[in-house]
């Protein structure tokens, strides 16, 4: 084996978004040495893009809110296939995590009496999202980063981990490379926390940044961990659709929380047309009531624009398919209309939604205080991910923990907006705490040189091919294929075809070539991401085939209804010894009576 630079830590955290930073802070506070690795510069993780807010039942704006209502909302939103224990811990601990963030310096928007302001969001019964205008992620990252850098954490920026290293069954390190110079590095650790975020770049239209190539999902899967509920990919209802250069960029749900309405080309507010049975009692049945809700009237019910994302996305697709879409193939999202109700509407919109105002002004030449936006669904988030113990966040591989978007269980079939940022804080903290505990109880393990040699050889192989395919072409074809065949509306035939195409793309990925050398070579980075994208694409497709029903984010045209039996199971995937992907259905853990009662009481 070549002589690679090697670093040693008690706990290695892979990923420096909200989850990774929070895990690193907690592990470091427990007195162990911590290394933090990220693909880009510290502070540039995807979390920084988060807009609308952090969901936590602080009850600052509506004193009827509490953890029980938040728990019930999360379970209803997830259509009851959530891991109930994670949803319970999340709802109970989120308020404390938000207050802690404030104590560390986060400057939230305020109520008149100086408490953290909370806004309405889809699927949340009460105003629950602590926010900083529509730039909440930026404030969260800034605060965690400020706090973290004073804890003595060693940060390895612009490093990509390519493989996890094991000693027998236990994870004992990671092998990766420095992106600038292309030099390989070894990280030895007693425990590892994966916090690598999502998979959005497996699709053509996405709100996700270049970093979202499913690395953590794939690293864990290859190391023997299980993936859970991979079929549940969230298509956010409102991404930009025009001009083409901005396709997929997110338009925060905060627009609808502040009173924004969805209309079709006839100018009709179509969301009133179909309100799901389990939300009927909570949803306004007229426009007047919906507006009063957005203005804080506690006796009003929320407007149908604030139904869950899965439902809103499908209603938009229906309007477009039936010929009532906007001129560029979306629908209209209108916040400008509130000037009929508020004297200072333009100022109000600019103050509450500053990023949205600038985003549309600069990218689409639209003034959202005067004109409607054109929007359509965009791939946004994956509810599925690494299967972890709800309390400790450890996967089935000893020493391997996961938190944030790459871990799964809390959201079930659909995530409520705002529940990700709180998930990062709650489970990031837990992952850091239990990884530190594991590190204290275990010593550094032995690492096999053979594995390192194999990974290094495979990584460098594309430089040796003179006439291979362009990696960007393979990546583009995969994204197009997933968008067309495993998107918002799914069928058995299309997904079977997708599996065949994935096999073909895998073969093509093995033949890609890159020009130049290892230094500053984005083409090479793309090759190395491809393997992960292909693994998660296969996992999504196989899980979606296995779930022969429509539930939450999974809509099967060939099985349009819910199946009660499938409402009691999760899909679980693992790598077979021979390398093939096994999918099985596993019964959900039995929910204790006190939680069942909470759900009943909040129906
Ligand atoms: C535009 C937008 C707005 C959003 N708004 C909200 C909101 O208002 N509220 C809400 O709750 N959620 C929101 N979300 C979702 C939420 O932002 C994400 O789910 C969340 O930030 C994920 O955080 P994370 O810590 O899991 O991952 P990230 O913040 O993405 O961090 C991942 C880290 O892993 C690193 N990494 C990845 N692969 C590797 C590798 N192989 N080696 C080394 N490092 C690696 C990356 O460099 C990065 O540092 C939004 C998402 C988008 C796209």
């Amino acid at each position: 084996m070549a002589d690679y630079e090697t670093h040693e830590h008690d706990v290695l955290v892979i990923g420096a978004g909200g989850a990774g930073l929070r895990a690193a802070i907690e592990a470091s506070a427990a007195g162990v040495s911590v290394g933090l690795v990220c693909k880009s510069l510290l502070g540039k993780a995807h979390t920084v893009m988060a807009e609308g807010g952090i969901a936590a039942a602080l009850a600052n704006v509506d004193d009827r809110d509490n953890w029980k209502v938040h728990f019930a909302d999360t379970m209803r939103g997830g259509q009851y296939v959530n891991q109930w224990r994670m949803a319970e811990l999340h709802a109970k601990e989120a308020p404390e995590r938000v207050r802690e963030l404030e104590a560390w310096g986060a400057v939230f928007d305020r109520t008149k009496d100086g408490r953290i302001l909370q806004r309405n969001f889809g699927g949340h019964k009460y105003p629950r999202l602590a926010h900083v205008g529509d730039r909440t992620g930026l404030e969260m990252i800034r605060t965690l980063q400020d706090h973290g850098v004073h804890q003595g954490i060693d940060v390895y920026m612009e490093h990509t981990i390519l493989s996890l290293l094991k000693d027998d069954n236990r994870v004992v390190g990671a092998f990766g490379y420095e992106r600038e110079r292309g030099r390989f590095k070894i990280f030895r650790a007693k425990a590892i926390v994966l916090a690598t975020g999502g998979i959005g770049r497996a699709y053509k239209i996405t709100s996700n940044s270049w970093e979202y190539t499913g690395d953590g999902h794939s690293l864990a899967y290859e190391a023997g961990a299980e993936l859970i509920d991979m079929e549940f990919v969230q298509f956010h209802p409102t991404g930009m659709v025009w001009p083409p250069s901005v396709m997929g960029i997110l338009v925060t749900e905060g627009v609808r929380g502040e009173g924004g309405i969805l209309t079709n080309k006839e100018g009709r507010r179509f969301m009133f047309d179909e309100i799901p049975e389990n939300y009927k009692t909570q949803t306004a049945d007229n426009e007047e009531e919906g507006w009063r809700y957005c203005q804080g009237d506690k006796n009003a019910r929320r407007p149908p624009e604030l139904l869950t994302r899965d439902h809103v996305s499908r209603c938009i697709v229906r309007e477009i398919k039936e010929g009532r879409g906007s001129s560029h193939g979306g629908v209209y999202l209108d916040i400008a209309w509130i000037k009929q109700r508020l004297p200072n509407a333009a100022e109000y919109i600019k103050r509450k939604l500053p990023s949205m105002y600038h985003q549309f002004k600069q990218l689409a030449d639209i003034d959202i205080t005067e004109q409607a936006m054109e929007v359509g669904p965009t791939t946004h988030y994956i509810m599925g991910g690494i299967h972890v113990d709800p309390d400790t966040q450890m996967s089935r591989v000893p020493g391997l923990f996961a938190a944030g978007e790459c871990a799964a269980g809390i959201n079930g079939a659909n995530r409520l907006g705002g529940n990700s940022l709180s998930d990062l804080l709650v489970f990031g903290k837990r992952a850091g705490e239990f990884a530190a505990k594991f590190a204290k109880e275990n010593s550094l393990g032995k690492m096999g040189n053979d594995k390192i040699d194999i990974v290094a050889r495979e990584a460098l192989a594309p430089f040796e091919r003179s006439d291979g395919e362009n990696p960007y072409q393979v990546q583009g074809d995969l994204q197009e294929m997933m968008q067309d065949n495993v998107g918002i509306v799914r069928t058995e035939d299309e997904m079977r075809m997708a599996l065949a195409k994935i096999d073909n793309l895998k073969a093509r990925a093995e033949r890609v070539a890159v020009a130049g050398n290892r230094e500053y070579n984005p083409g090479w980075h793309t090759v190395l991401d491809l393997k992960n994208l292909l693994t998660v694409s296969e996992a999504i497709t196989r899980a979606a085939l296995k779930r022969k029903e429509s539930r939450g984010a999974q809509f099967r045209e060939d099985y349009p209804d819910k199946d009660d039996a499938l409402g009691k199971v999760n899909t679980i995937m693992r790598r077979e010894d021979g390398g093939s992907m096994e999918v099985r259905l596993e019964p959900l853990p039995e929910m204790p009576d006190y939680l069942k009662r909470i759900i009943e009481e909040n129906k």
Side-chain angles (χ1 to χ4, degrees):
M1 188 184 79
D3 187 15
Y4 300 122
E5 189 179 312
T6 301
H7 300 272
E8 262 181 38
H9 293 284
D10 293 319
V11 173
L12 182 73
V13 180
I14 304 173
L21 275 164
R22 190 61 192 84
I25 288 169
E26 198 63 21
S28 178
V32 300
S33 80
V34 179
L36 179 62
V37 190
C38 52
K39 266 177 162 179
S40 50
L41 297 173
L42 185 65
K44 282 200 73 197
H46 195 264
T47 300
V48 89
M49 297 163 74
E51 295 166 353
I54 313 175
L58 296 158
N60 288 351
V61 173
D62 194 320
D63 57 15
R64 291 171 297 180
D65 204 10
N66 58 54
W67 77 264
K68 294 178 183 171
V69 190
H70 192 181
F71 168 77
D73 285 353
T74 301
M75 294 298 294
R76 185 189 295 109
Q79 311 235 338
Y80 304 106
V81 291
N82 324 46
Q83 297 289 302
W84 56 262
R85 176 68 178 154
M86 284 182 86
E88 178 190 15
L89 289 170
H90 168 254
K92 280 182 173 164
E93 294 176 8
E96 202 181 325
R97 296 284 77 79
V98 172
R99 282 192 283 265
E100 176 182 72
L101 205 62
E102 186 185 37
W104 291 349
V107 185
F108 288 101
D109 285 5
R110 299 268 145 202
T111 60
K112 286 203 176 79
D113 60 355
R115 292 180 296 163
I116 296 174
L117 183 60
Q118 297 184 271
R119 67 159 43 120
N120 292 313
F121 240 57
H124 293 282
K125 189 162 183 188
Y126 302 121
R128 192 174 280 148
L129 266 71
H131 60 278
V132 185
D134 54 4
R135 295 176 181 144
T136 312
L138 176 63
E139 186 66 0
M140 181 163 160
I141 280 286
R142 187 195 64 73
T143 308
L144 291 173
Q145 197 180 319
D146 277 4
H147 195 77
V149 291
H150 294 106
Q151 300 252 347
I153 298 163
D154 287 321
V155 181
Y156 303 91
M157 290 189 240
E158 301 198 296
H159 282 66
T160 297
I161 297 300
L162 295 173
S163 184
L164 298 176
L165 305 169
K166 287 170 73 179
D167 180 0
D168 200 9
N169 191 29
R170 195 187 124 200
V171 76
V172 292
F175 182 63
Y177 72 105
E178 179 206 350
R179 295 172 74 88
E180 277 191 12
R181 301 272 166 195
R183 292 177 195 162
F184 290 125
K185 292 196 182 166
I186 296 171
F187 296 89
R188 300 186 70 194
K190 297 172 186 166
I192 290 189
V193 180
L194 287 169
T196 51
I199 58 89
R201 289 282 158 166
Y203 288 83
K204 185 175 164 191
I205 301 173
T206 178
S207 64
N208 290 183
S209 79
W210 61 271
E211 292 181 278
Y212 266 22
T213 49
D215 297 10
H217 292 76
S218 173
L219 289 167
Y221 170 80
E222 293 289 334
E226 289 175 339
L227 302 179
I228 178 171
D229 290 344
M230 289 296 284
E231 66 275 32
F232 297 128
V233 176
Q234 180 164 76
F235 299 93
H236 192 292
T238 57
M240 292 177 81
V241 297
W242 188 258
S245 59
V246 301
M247 176 96 78
I249 293 180
L250 194 76
V251 182
T252 176
E253 196 164 316
V255 175
R256 284 171 282 142
E258 300 298 343
I261 57 173
L262 289 164
T263 58
N264 60 21
K265 75 170 184 195
E266 295 153 5
R268 211 165 55 77
R269 213 170 146 183
F270 58 85
M271 285 305 301
F272 279 101
D273 295 353
E274 190 190 326
I275 296 171
E277 214 38 58
N278 58 344
Y279 280 97
K280 275 223 160 96
T281 56
Q282 296 190 357
T283 309
D285 52 19
N286 64 80
E287 297 187 7
E288 187 56 38
E289 185 183 8
W291 170 246
R292 282 195 284 111
Y293 175 90
C294 292
Q295 287 299 290
D297 181 343
K298 290 186 180 169
N299 296 316
R301 294 168 298 172
R302 63 175 171 259
E305 277 84 0
L306 289 178
L307 282 162
T308 53
R309 292 175 175 178
D310 51 341
H311 178 75
V312 180
S313 285
R314 276 196 293 278
C315 290
I316 291 175
V317 169
R318 181 197 62 212
E319 292 302 300
I320 299 168
K321 264 194 171 169
E322 294 177 8
R324 296 184 294 275
S326 65
S327 46
H328 297 109
V331 294
Y332 296 103
L333 171 62
D334 187 4
I335 182 79
W337 83 276
I338 66 172
K339 64 182 171 225
Q340 297 167 20
R341 306 281 180 142
L342 289 181
N344 54 350
E347 279 321 300
Y348 179 84
I349 293 167
K350 285 186 205 166
R351 183 161 45 83
K352 297 305 276 184
L353 301 162
S355 297
M356 289 305 107
Y357 175 75
H358 290 295
Q359 183 171 308
F360 275 89
K361 197 82 189 106
Q362 288 165 2
L363 301 179
D365 197 21
I366 297 272
D367 178 352
I368 67 168
T369 68
E370 295 290 336
Q371 296 158 274
M373 301 158 245
E374 272 187 79
V375 296
T378 181
T379 314
H380 185 59
Y381 183 90
I382 183 154
M383 276 68 74
I386 303 161
H387 192 194
V388 289
D389 175 81
D391 286 75
T392 67
Q393 298 286 288
M394 190 161 90
S395 70
R396 68 192 283 278
V397 178
L400 182 62
F401 297 75
E405 190 169 339
C406 72
I410 177 201
N411 297 300
N414 174 58
R415 174 177 72 90
L416 301 186
N419 269 1
S420 172
L421 294 189
S422 39
D423 162 4
L424 311 182
L425 296 173
V426 169
F427 295 109
K429 177 189 182 291
R430 281 182 167 268
E433 177 186 337
F434 286 96
K437 184 166 180 287
F438 188 94
K440 285 179 183 172
E441 291 164 358
N442 289 276
S443 51
L444 286 170
K446 273 198 319 304
M447 286 182 320
N449 293 346
D450 295 355
K451 174 79 189 281
I452 293 174
D453 285 339
I454 293 170
V455 178
R457 217 174 24 249
E458 280 178 1
L460 296 176
F463 289 108
E464 283 155 30
R465 296 182 200 118
S466 50
D467 59 350
E469 228 188 308
N470 179 341
Y472 292 103
Q473 186 63 50
V474 180
Q475 189 195 48
D477 289 352
L478 172 68
Q479 291 166 333
E480 187 123 18
M481 190 284 292
M482 287 298 286
Q483 190 77 36
D484 291 347
N485 297 303
V486 200
I488 301 182
V489 179
R490 300 169 174 176
T491 65
E492 183 91 12
D493 288 350
E494 283 178 349
M495 290 194 286
R496 294 255 165 242
M497 195 161 66
L499 280 182
K501 288 187 174 170
I502 288 170
D503 273 347
N504 179 263
L505 287 159
K506 277 187 191 166
R508 285 172 60 193
E510 305 228 318
R511 296 193 299 269
V512 290
V514 278
N517 61 39
R518 288 152 75 161
E519 299 199 347
Y520 303 97
N521 194 332
W524 186 40
H525 306 324
T526 302
V527 176
L528 298 175
D529 290 343
L530 261 179
K531 181 169 172 244
N532 303 325
L533 283 173
L534 284 159
T535 301
V536 292
S537 298
E538 181 178 349
I540 293 166
T541 312
R542 289 196 186 280
L545 276 163
K546 191 82 176 170
R547 186 170 285 282
K548 295 188 191 306
E549 65 158 354
S550 293
R551 179 178 300 273
Q554 149 116 328
F555 182 72
R556 294 270 315 240
E557 205 167 45
D558 42 0
Y559 297 95
D561 300 318
K562 284 200 193 75
D563 176 333
D564 287 346
L566 291 171
K568 298 187 177 70
V569 293
N570 295 117
T571 55
I572 305 279
M573 357 222 14
R574 60 182 290 195
R575 192 174 186 277
E576 287 273 296
D577 287 343
S580 61
M581 199 176 264
E582 180 210 84
V583 198
R584 64 173 201 279
L585 295 173
E586 187 172 283
L588 284 155
E590 180 65 24
M591 189 188 287
D593 287 343
Y594 69 93
L595 292 179
K596 285 185 188 155
R597 268 198 304 279
I598 291 173
I599 288 176
E600 274 312 306
E601 284 161 14
N602 283 282
K603 271 208 165 134

